[in-house]
Amino acid sequence: MFMNRKSSTNLTKSAPWFGADDMSDSGKTIAQKLQAHAQRLNEGQSWVKAALGATPAQSFLREVAGLRVDASRQPWDQALRRDLTTWSLQRGLDTFRNAQFAGEQVNRSEARAARHCLLRAPDHVLNAKHQSALAATRLRFLEVADKIRQDPNIKHVIHIGIGGSDLGPRLLVQALSSIHASGLDARAAKQPDIHFAGNGDLHELEAVIARLNPYDVQIVLCSKSFSTAETLVNAERLKAWMNNESQDLFKARSIAITANIKAAQAFGVSDCFDFPDWVGGRFSLWSPIGLSAAVAIGSEGFKSLLNGAWDMDRHWLESDPYENLPWQLGLLDVWHRNAMHYNTRCVVPYDARLSRFPAYLQQLEMESNGKSVDQAGRAIHHASAGLVWGEPGTNAQHSFFQWLHQGTEPTPVEFIMIERPDHSDHAAHRKLLANALGQSLALLKGKSLDQASAESVKLANPSWSREQLAAHRTFQGGRASTIISLNRLDPSSLGALISLFEHRVEVAGFLWGINSFDQWGVELGKELAIDIENHMNSSQIHPDPQTALWIKLLEV
Ligand code: F6P
């Protein structure tokens, strides 16, 4: 799998171990070491044997900000981690991290900083950094959230937005509002229901409003640009729905969260919150974009979310790289892609409330690191982000786990567990956790042909031998997984979890040499859609024959 030293020129094309400009001796030495590690760990699947017999001292189990992360069942060991860490330091990851936090324009194609971390910093940190306006906005939007939450006239909030203006708030509401409706919060009985409509397909919104009375509704319009087509389609429909009931009801009951206040006002919303353009959409849930979530969990809950994230931020900013969780997991992500050549990573939360977490991660990881050029616009010659995907467990065990265990594409899995349930059936919860642990062990351990043959099973097909059936019941094993556990699913632990994933994305993006903070790849499709829509609305024939054919067939 790995080329030897003689072909080092080729190596630069297939792995990021050499920086684009770094052909120094120290750069070459560390690259050679990393290759040797890959050979050593893969040979006879030695990493699997080591992982199965790991002592606590050899395992990778870290506890940070209320999270436990166990990455012991991965194709790495202490020696590799040390060399990967050295490599990342040689590449200047610490300088990049500090520069990002200090507000340098790490998003070079848009000439912007990426300071979303500041949104969760406590007031005294913001004041010291001359960012007291951020603290003031936070105070104001959380006050508004509590007001909406306690207003007896507001029974429903409709949150409109897409991408980063939807996935984060939707995740938070789904993950956390049931906790706050189950007795932990005395005001819960009165809190409004939160509904989401993001899709450009109006069926989603129609299904929501069909059941509601416009007088009971508060609208929260989220769009950084306030020009996103889907959001405007939904907003127009809501405006018509409300104003049809009473003129100006829409204006009275709408709040816009945007970096383009003028556009929101021109649309007819006067009540607005803005946020700086250095907050990327997929990093914006900490800003007033989180308003609907703050309504669902209350201002104290939201502050606790921010505090949990900030705990992880401090760990990221201050702890030793070798002990630093986002740093190490980011290195593992790079190792997966560029040494193990895993194309995808599966994330399985063993908690139904986290069912939107994989979708949230898809934007975070794939919009950030699904790139083929470096910051300067030069082609990169190594793999960058792969596909991240998943579904909650145990549901997933009854759908795609067959593929994970016996398919031909070894894929690392991340199991996310919640240690303490918010219901009282601890036996049922133990069963759930046992399933997560069992799956992780099965992926690693597998079951050999001999083991399968030795088991006495009934032969459904009498003409078959035991060995024949055993082949179907064999598990290759040697499949990597990480276990992440949260003590409880609460705002603080979820904040820490999301912050951990944000930073590991930054680590991997930096080491791949790409800009994790732009998203030019979403533009072409949008442009072509506008052009096609114009053709649909006119008698002009579209220049692409197949598109022209479809326009005719669809007759819209
Ligand atoms: O199309 C991608 C994207 O630009 C995302 O990056 C963003 O989160 C989403 O659209 C929504 O954008 P906006 O918040 O400007 O409506």
Side-chain angles (χ1 to χ4, degrees), residues 281-348:
R282 54 192 173 275
F283 303 99
S284 65
L285 68 87
W286 322 99
S287 76
I289 289 282
L291 178 70
S292 306
V295 172
I297 63 178
S299 61
E300 289 310 313
F302 202 87
K303 282 183 206 159
S304 169
L305 173 92
L306 300 180
N307 290 340
W310 181 248
D311 282 349
M312 183 59 74
D313 294 337
R314 285 189 47 205
H315 167 77
W316 158 238
L317 291 165
E318 293 165 11
S319 70
D320 179 274
Y322 188 72
E323 296 302 326
N324 192 309
L325 257 188
W327 193 306
Q328 293 298 317
L329 292 187
L331 288 174
L332 181 60
D333 291 337
V334 173
W335 189 249
H336 277 169
R337 290 292 286 137
N338 304 115
M340 302 304 294
H341 307 292
Y342 295 141
N343 292 320
T344 84
R345 195 174 98 249
C346 181
V347 178
V348 184

Side-chain angles (χ1 to χ4, degrees), residues 42-359:
N42 276 318
E43 227 155 59
Q45 287 205 316
S46 73
W47 74 266
V48 181
K49 287 176 196 135
L52 281 168
T55 61
Q58 290 162 328
S59 71
F60 181 102
L61 177 61
R62 303 277 186 281
E63 229 179 299
V64 175
L67 309 186
R68 289 194 173 109
V69 176
D70 181 357
S72 310
R73 291 172 175 164
Q74 289 289 351
W76 65 354
D77 60 9
Q78 288 170 358
L80 169 60
R81 280 196 292 280
R82 291 220 179 272
D83 284 336
L84 277 172
T85 308
T86 304
W87 168 65
S88 61
L89 286 165
Q90 279 182 4
R91 292 286 300 276
L93 180 55
D94 51 343
T95 311
F96 167 78
R97 173 194 60 186
N98 300 341
Q100 183 189 339
F101 188 65
E104 277 181 36
Q105 291 189 347
V106 291
N107 175 356
R108 281 162 55 187
S109 72
E110 296 181 303
R112 284 180 186 160
R115 306 190 85 184
H116 41 272
C117 223
L118 276 187
L119 297 168
R120 48 239 192 181
D123 288 358
H124 68 271
V125 175
L126 292 178
N127 292 336
K129 293 195 168 298
H130 309 291
Q131 296 285 344
S132 43
L134 288 181
T137 303
R138 177 161 66 200
L139 184 70
R140 210 162 60 83
F141 96 78
L142 290 179
E143 275 171 9
V144 169
D146 280 342
K147 239 171 104 188
I148 296 173
R149 183 176 164 83
Q150 287 155 4
D151 185 338
N153 296 316
I154 299 187
K155 301 191 176 67
H156 301 274
V157 169
I158 303 182
H159 177 113
I160 301 293
I162 196 163
S165 295
D166 165 86
L167 289 159
R170 210 190 271 251
L171 165 69
L172 297 180
V173 168
Q174 188 167 339
L176 301 173
S177 52
S178 65
I179 300 171
H180 287 256
S182 64
L184 293 177
D185 184 333
R187 292 166 302 180
K190 275 194 269 155
Q191 78 187 53
D193 290 335
I194 319 280
H195 310 270
F196 289 86
N199 202 314
D201 172 11
L202 270 183
H203 290 107
E204 188 182 23
L205 179 62
E206 294 295 347
V208 171
I209 59 179
R211 292 177 282 129
L212 307 184
N213 176 345
Y215 289 108
D216 296 340
V217 170
Q218 169 69 49
I219 310 287
V220 177
L221 294 174
C222 288
S223 176
K224 181 177 173 184
S225 60
F226 219 87
S227 65
T228 302
E230 294 90 332
T231 302
L232 294 179
V233 164
N234 282 309
E236 286 289 1
R237 174 70 186 108
L238 274 180
K239 198 202 280 192
W241 178 67
M242 293 194 99
N243 288 350
N244 189 35
E245 203 63 38
S246 159
Q247 218 187 351
D248 285 340
L249 183 58
F250 176 77
K251 191 171 189 170
R253 284 293 180 82
S254 300
I255 298 179
I257 326 283
T258 180
N260 185 359
I261 298 266
K262 269 195 186 146
Q265 287 168 339
F267 188 81
V269 188
S270 51
D271 208 353
C272 299
F273 282 101
D274 67 353
F275 58 95
D277 71 357
W278 48 252
V279 182
R282 54 192 173 275
F283 303 99
S284 65
L285 68 87
W286 322 99
S287 76
I289 289 282
L291 178 70
S292 306
V295 172
I297 63 178
S299 61
E300 289 310 313
F302 202 87
K303 282 183 206 159
S304 169
L305 173 92
L306 300 180
N307 290 340
W310 181 248
D311 282 349
M312 183 59 74
D313 294 337
R314 285 189 47 205
H315 167 77
W316 158 238
L317 291 165
E318 293 165 11
S319 70
D320 179 274
Y322 188 72
E323 296 302 326
N324 192 309
L325 257 188
W327 193 306
Q328 293 298 317
L329 292 187
L331 288 174
L332 181 60
D333 291 337
V334 173
W335 189 249
H336 277 169
R337 290 292 286 137
N338 304 115
M340 302 304 294
H341 307 292
Y342 295 141
N343 292 320
T344 84
R345 195 174 98 249
C346 181
V347 178
V348 184
Y350 273 68
D351 192 303
R353 297 167 295 177
L354 286 175
S355 67
R356 294 298 295 172
F357 193 55

Side-chain angles (χ1 to χ4, degrees), residues 453-531:
S453 305
E455 288 171 354
S456 67
V457 283
K458 191 168 171 280
L459 284 173
N461 188 335
S463 64
W464 273 36
S465 68
R466 286 165 72 85
E467 286 67 32
Q468 228 174 334
L469 187 60
H472 292 266
R473 299 175 49 254
T474 296
F475 294 72
Q476 214 184 348
R479 303 202 165 185
S481 65
T482 294
I483 298 171
I484 300 177
S485 79
L486 284 59
N487 186 265
R488 287 268 314 272
L489 180 56
D490 59 25
S492 169
S493 63
L494 187 55
L497 182 74
I498 298 172
S499 164
L500 168 67
F501 277 73
E502 279 187 1
H503 294 312
R504 72 191 268 193
V505 163
E506 292 158 8
V507 171
F510 171 76
L511 293 170
W512 283 322
I514 58 186
N515 179 354
S516 299
F517 306 107
D518 60 9
Q519 57 283 320
W520 297 102
V522 302
E523 295 303 328
L524 177 60
K526 287 186 198 171
E527 283 161 25
L528 295 183
I530 292 171
D531 181 49

